[in-house]
Amino acid sequence: PFDYAARTRCLVVTDVAKENTGQVAAAFQALFLAAGGGGLGLFTAIRRLRDVHARIAGPLEQAGIPLYAQHVDAMDNATLVDVFRAEEHACLLGTDAMRDGVDVPGRALRLLVFDRVPWQRPTILHRERRLHLSGGRPKDYDDRVARHRLRQAFGRLIRRTDDKGVFVMLDAAAPTRLFSGLPDGVELQRVGLVEAIEATA
């Protein structure tokens, strides 16, 4: 029932160095400010989440945008999501639990930013699944998992027919093939950070 093509934008930012925490934090801050809040930032590592939070919490607060974070604030995930949902101009940082468990219809969630592609961690379980579920093509298995995670995260943006939102990936190396699972009509654009900020605003 949703017109994803008209009501969403999907952007991969090409000029932010994902290994440079300062650049990543500056990108999050600028995008959250451009959206006026309503941003969910998703991280693949808790350490990076905490580093970015420490850098941007103060400037966002000065702009009147509260920032909450999993693994930082002394609240469980459900409470964090409830607070985020209730405050239309707040932003929230989280890891995979936030990607999978957030249901925030309306303007409270209008921007979703990934720090990098959510590839699977190279654990023993991952190795065995690749071996037994890949049909002899382990790279395809990794792609399938990452594609599903991106599709699931994208689905957080549009929960009602009047929702609209911007999906931003800060990982320039994100393969285009991973976005093939997004809804029909959604066009992936590779842009610089300035263009992403303008599109978000």
Side-chain angles (χ1 to χ4, degrees):
F2 304 133
D3 187 353
Y4 290 102
R7 305 195 68 84
T8 63
R9 297 288 179 270
C10 183
L11 312 173
V12 174
V13 175
T14 58
D15 55 0
V16 171
K18 66 182 179 183
E19 301 299 337
N20 185 319
T21 305
Q23 286 189 24
V24 171
F28 269 97
Q29 180 178 318
L31 289 163
F32 285 172
L33 288 171
L40 174 62
L42 294 172
F43 291 79
T44 57
I46 295 170
R47 178 185 53 79
R48 284 195 301 276
L49 181 156
R50 288 178 169 149
D51 287 349
V52 168
H53 178 273
R55 291 170 185 252
I56 71 174
L60 288 179
E61 185 177 343
Q62 289 176 0
I65 298 175
L67 180 65
Y68 302 99
Q70 183 188 14
H71 306 292
V72 176
D73 291 302
M75 291 183 259
D76 61 38
N77 291 353
T79 304
L80 281 169
V81 172
D82 287 344
V83 171
F84 177 57
R85 188 184 296 115
E87 298 184 22
E88 187 175 292
H89 302 298
C91 289
L92 175 62
L93 304 180
T95 54
D96 53 0
M98 292 299 177
R99 178 194 69 230
D100 300 341
V102 173
D103 184 21
V104 182
R107 278 183 49 80
L109 177 51
R110 52 192 178 270
L111 170 66
L112 196 150
V113 184
F114 261 98
D115 75 324
R116 59 183 65 194
V117 173
W119 297 111
Q120 280 219 269
R121 299 189 196 290
T123 62
I124 295 172
L125 180 59
H126 170 241
R127 186 186 70 211
E128 291 301 312
R129 283 180 173 159
R130 281 181 102 204
L131 181 65
H132 296 288
L133 299 176
S134 68
R137 302 175 68 176
K139 188 169 176 18
D140 286 353
Y141 173 75
D142 288 345
D143 280 4
R144 195 165 63 239
V145 172
R147 189 178 302 115
H148 172 73
R149 290 174 174 178
L150 292 177
R151 181 173 62 238
Q152 195 165 26
F154 187 90
R156 306 297 96 194
L157 278 175
I158 306 296
R159 312 303 286 171
R160 304 187 313 209
T161 54
D162 60 341
D163 281 354
K164 60 182 179 178
V166 180
F167 179 102
V168 180
M169 171 66 70
L170 295 178
D171 187 347
T176 300
R177 66 181 182 274
L178 297 184
F179 297 89
S180 63
L182 298 185
D184 290 342
V186 175
E187 180 185 346
L188 174 67
Q189 295 178 287
R190 293 185 179 271
V191 298
L193 180 59
V194 171
E195 292 172 82
I197 292 165
E198 291 171 353
T200 299

